[in-house]
Amino acid sequence: MTTDSTDTPVPFALTALDREILSMSNDEFSPHTWEEIKQIIAENNLHLFKRWPSDLRRYIKWSAETKAAYGSIPIFVMRERLRWTPLASSTAKTGPEFAVEDPTPFAHEDDYKILINDWPYGLDEGIRHIIVWLKTRLESEPTKGDMTPKSRQQVEEFIQTKFVNRVKDLPGEEEKVVWFKNWTALQSVPGMEHVHVLVRGVPDLVVAEWTGGVQPLNVET
């Protein structure tokens, strides 16, 4: 485990972008706009997403403490955020596997959980970062773990039904929902299937409908 310039233990490899962000103050940081978010997703440059400098520093500290307490971030997420128990047959090779109501992703509401991202990217005001966690696995291609046409269609249909249809008649900008899924190498919680959903101009009450009112860990402003 390395340390950053403030001698805080760093529990994961920092990228050049991480180091650049850590050298900034929040006042020097430019949050992602909606158009920038769309461009990053369209070009599949997902590694360009970045957190607020203060959040990145806190995330590094939290990650080190959580790994020390739980052994890994996925274990913490399973136990404390999702309350899911993996099957005893799960191995390091398979990753956590769960009993499901339906093996088809998104087919049964007990097989996924929607939460506000505990450590969101640095986003313009009014944009919320949501995570859809799945017990089932989405099909991925073998090289870098990116999505296949089949899994992409499954996610798109779910996003349309669960998110887009819910907010399409709300006032404000017509486009309110975008989504992406990190390929395997970029996942901060590897082995736990999840999809990122970004929404803008959506009232808190609607977000609470999706999340069951569960609040994120990172509530410091």
Side-chain angles (χ1 to χ4, degrees), residues 32-41 46 49-50 115-117 119-124 126-132 159 163-164 167 175-181 195-202 207 210:
H32 294 293
T33 65
W34 189 256
E35 291 305 315
E36 183 184 2
I37 290 167
K38 289 173 57 181
Q39 182 177 357
I40 288 173
I41 294 172
L46 305 179
F49 278 122
K50 54 190 184 292
L115 295 174
I116 298 172
N117 191 352
W119 297 99
Y121 298 123
L123 308 172
D124 255 355
I127 302 175
R128 306 292 291 275
H129 189 170
I130 293 169
I131 302 289
V132 182
I159 297 296
F163 294 95
V164 176
V167 302
E175 183 183 50
K176 294 182 175 65
V177 181
V178 293
W179 69 272
F180 67 92
K181 180 180 180 296
V195 175
H196 296 256
V197 183
L198 300 171
V199 300
R200 65 169 172 173
V202 175
V207 174
W210 293 324

Side-chain angles (χ1 to χ4, degrees), residues 7 9 19 22 25 28 31 34 52 56 78 87 89 110-111 119 134 137 146 152-153 158 160 164-165 173 182 193 199:
D7 294 328
R19 295 185 184 281
L22 289 171
S25 67
E28 296 170 316
W34 189 256
W52 287 95
L56 180 56
M78 282 187 289
L87 295 171
S89 57
D110 288 344
D111 294 336
W119 297 99
L134 294 94
R137 295 294 174 88
D146 209 350
R152 185 171 295 277
Q153 181 179 357
F158 174 77
Q160 180 69 39
V164 176
N165 289 349
E173 299 289 346
N182 278 330
E193 195 72 272
V199 300

Side-chain angles (χ1 to χ4, degrees), residues 82-188:
L82 301 175
R83 308 290 183 176
W84 292 349
T85 302
L87 295 171
S89 57
S90 301
T91 66
K93 183 177 181 179
T94 65
E97 297 180 318
F98 305 95
V100 297
E101 298 295 331
D102 192 313
T104 302
F106 309 111
H108 197 287
E109 62 181 10
D110 288 344
D111 294 336
Y112 64 85
K113 190 166 188 176
I114 301 172
L115 295 174
I116 298 172
N117 191 352
D118 289 328
W119 297 99
Y121 298 123
L123 308 172
D124 255 355
E125 186 175 355
I127 302 175
R128 306 292 291 275
H129 189 170
I130 293 169
I131 302 289
V132 182
W133 298 93
L134 294 94
K135 291 181 179 179
T136 49
R137 295 294 174 88
L138 293 165
E139 186 178 89
S140 61
E141 53 87 22
T143 53
K144 64 178 182 180
D146 209 350
M147 303 184 74
T148 65
K150 176 183 177 180
S151 60
R152 185 171 295 277
Q153 181 179 357
Q154 288 174 323
V155 175
E156 287 178 346
E157 290 175 353
F158 174 77
I159 297 296
Q160 180 69 39
T161 301
K162 191 71 175 182
F163 294 95
V164 176
N165 289 349
R166 176 63 182 87
V167 302
K168 64 182 181 181
D169 295 326
L170 294 178
E173 299 289 346
E174 180 177 356
E175 183 183 50
K176 294 182 175 65
V177 181
V178 293
W179 69 272
F180 67 92
K181 180 180 180 296
N182 278 330
W183 59 80
T184 303
L186 290 179
Q187 292 179 358
S188 59

Side-chain angles (χ1 to χ4, degrees), residues 14-47:
L14 295 176
T15 66
L17 182 57
D18 288 332
R19 295 185 184 281
E20 179 183 350
I21 299 304
L22 289 171
S23 71
M24 296 181 180
S25 67
N26 278 4
D27 289 339
E28 296 170 316
F29 180 85
S30 296
H32 294 293
T33 65
W34 189 256
E35 291 305 315
E36 183 184 2
I37 290 167
K38 289 173 57 181
Q39 182 177 357
I40 288 173
I41 294 172
E43 296 175 354
N44 209 26
N45 286 326
L46 305 179
H47 61 286

Side-chain angles (χ1 to χ4, degrees), residues 72-83:
S72 73
I73 301 300
I75 291 174
F76 169 83
V77 171
M78 282 187 289
R79 289 182 184 174
E80 306 298 342
R81 302 302 285 151
L82 301 175
R83 308 290 183 176

